[in-house]
Structures are given as structure tokens and as C-alpha cells.
Amino acid sequence: MALSSYSLKKNKMKNPIQMIKQCIEHEEPYFVLRGKDICALPAIKKYHETVKQKVKDLYFIEEIEEIMKDFQAFREEQQTHIPD
């Protein structure tokens, strides 16, 4: 049974924990959005718009679109609220 292209893409996506570790090691600022944060999806949508304007890497654009879909699905299934 073959994996769908979506499953393959999900497996190739950057590991956020590893990215945070790298930021900490290099004293680089980072920003985390959670699914329960009511402001997260609009922020990701705005980021996606900017990425489409400035980034030529189609895989990166698709990665952001997949993240956006995940946040949208979570929002439809769970209650979101003002961030803590």
C-alpha cells in the first residue's frame, strides 16, 4: 500500500522541536503558535500571504498551507480562546 503524497509531505516537514533547539543554541528569537489560540489561524494566513509574495520554494509554500489546514481543522473540532 502506497503512502499518499500528503503523508509523505507530513513526514518531510521540519521538526518544530528541533527548530526551537537550534534557535536556543544560536540565541535566535522564535515564536510559537498553538492550535487553541484564537489568533493563531489569522496570523498563519497572513504569514502565508507574505510567503507567497516573497518565497519561490513551492515546497515551503505547501508546508505553510498544510500547517494552515491543520490549524483550521483543529479550530473546527476544538474550542479556541484568547491566548494565555
Side-chain angles (χ1 to χ4, degrees):
M1 181 176 191
L3 292 172
S4 69
S5 61
Y6 177 75
S7 295
L8 291 174
K9 285 181 186 175
K10 281 295 232 188
N11 291 334
K12 290 182 181 181
M13 290 179 81
K14 295 177 183 111
N15 180 331
I17 295 171
Q18 185 62 33
M19 291 172 64
I20 291 171
K21 286 179 182 178
Q22 290 171 352
C23 288
I24 292 169
E25 287 172 10
H26 296 100
E27 297 181 359
E28 176 185 352
Y30 58 93
F31 188 82
V32 176
L33 296 171
R34 295 181 55 177
K36 289 184 178 183
D37 182 337
I38 198 166
C39 302
L41 184 58
I44 294 167
K45 286 181 178 181
K46 200 63 152 163
Y47 181 73
H48 178 251
E49 289 174 18
T50 304
V51 166
K52 288 193 309 185
Q53 292 171 2
K54 301 196 179 278
V55 176
K56 302 296 181 210
D57 182 349
L58 293 178
Y59 178 74
F60 184 75
I61 295 168
E62 288 177 9
E63 215 174 20
I64 301 304
E65 290 169 353
E66 292 302 323
I67 291 168
M68 207 165 43
K69 288 177 189 175
D70 289 345
F71 272 76
Q72 181 66 46
F74 185 88
R75 177 179 255 187
E76 291 170 3
E77 296 171 7
Q78 303 283 326
Q79 183 177 6
T80 56
H81 55 80
I82 301 296
D84 297 333

